[in-house]
Amino acid sequence: MALGVLTDRFPAMLSYSPAQLARTSEDLVYIVRFVAAAQLVDDVGVFTTFLDWLTGLLSAGAVPAAALAAGLEALLPCSLR
């Protein structure tokens, strides 16, 4: 679900290779896991530290910040279930 929403929010993904799509899917899973970990230990810093690290990693790989923002937005409807 989130990957489809992300493609709608970030149309550049339509040109992603299968490997890039796989990495993007993995990134979404990591985001969800870190949100869960932050909730488990009741420490938002767990998530924000991960998000800072992920932002740097994606930036170093020339992934635009808009892609990460779109990914976070794509996960929002999933959190409401």
Side-chain angles (χ1 to χ4, degrees):
M1 176 181 169
L3 199 56
V5 172
L6 178 53
T7 302
D8 292 342
R9 293 181 179 273
F10 193 70
M13 281 185 54
L14 294 172
S15 64
Y16 277 18
S17 70
Q20 288 173 306
L21 289 172
R23 296 301 82 74
T24 301
S25 181
E26 288 174 0
D27 289 343
L28 292 174
V29 170
Y30 284 125
I31 290 168
V32 170
R33 287 180 177 171
F34 272 85
V35 167
Q39 289 178 332
L40 183 66
V41 297
D42 195 26
D43 182 358
V44 72
V46 170
F47 180 67
T48 57
T49 300
F50 163 74
L51 204 53
D52 289 344
W53 173 83
L54 183 59
T55 299
L57 179 72
L58 295 176
S59 177
V63 176
L68 179 56
L72 293 170
E73 290 172 5
L75 289 170
L76 283 174
C78 299
S79 68
L80 300 176
R81 290 181 166 217

